[in-house]
Amino acid sequence: MSDCLFCKIRDGEIQGDIVFEDDDVLAFNDVNPHAPVHVLIIPKKHISTVNDMSAEDVSVMGKLFSTAKNIALQRDVSEDGYRLVVNSNKQAGQSVFHIHMHLLGGNKLGPMVDRID
Ligand code: 5GP
Ligand code: ZN
């Protein structure tokens, strides 16, 4: 059995507020939203970080974008704007090591990162 939180949501071992699912992709609302719309979009295949992507994973990563586009439209944030974020490894703040794309929208978003100067 996988120890990965998002694999457990994929497999129904942990409850997820699922907003979209197909053979390759799963999307669910973030349990601790940082914006009125905060959806996590994952490949169903377990890939830990972007560093672990292989050539065969390129198409599913493209599907994360098309899924984000569709959900943004459904949640009515397309026109006003939204942000897509993929944190990779610790300094970026990745806390769940199964690739996930954050879809954030519904209000004015702050700066993407703190200035470093
Ligand atoms: P990261 O920091 O790795 O980029 O993002 C992980 C995200 O997963 C966080 O926004 C966090 O709120 C969310 N998260 C953590 N545990 C759960 C959970 O059990 N269910 C859901 N739906 N989201 C979770
Ligand atoms: Zn996983």
Side-chain angles (χ1 to χ4, degrees), residues 5-6 28-32 40 87 93-96 100 102:
L5 178 63
F6 289 172
F28 46 93
N29 287 315
D30 197 292
V31 78
N32 180 27
L40 301 174
N87 293 318
Q94 185 175 5
S95 60
V96 178
H100 48 283
H102 297 257

Side-chain angles (χ1 to χ4, degrees), residues 60-115:
V60 77
M61 295 305 288
K63 282 191 79 171
L64 299 191
F65 277 94
S66 56
T67 302
K69 172 192 161 181
N70 293 337
I71 294 171
L73 201 58
Q74 285 160 13
R75 300 287 281 269
D76 202 25
V77 296
S78 288
E79 285 285 312
D80 286 339
Y82 56 94
R83 181 174 291 161
L84 302 176
V85 176
V86 180
N87 293 318
S88 298
N89 264 341
K90 293 202 173 73
Q91 289 219 51
Q94 185 175 5
S95 60
V96 178
F97 284 81
H98 180 136
I99 289 181
H100 48 283
M101 177 181 279
H102 297 257
L103 163 58
L104 296 149
N107 60 10
K108 178 109 174 87
L109 299 167
M112 192 171 67
V113 290
D114 297 328
R115 292 178 64 93

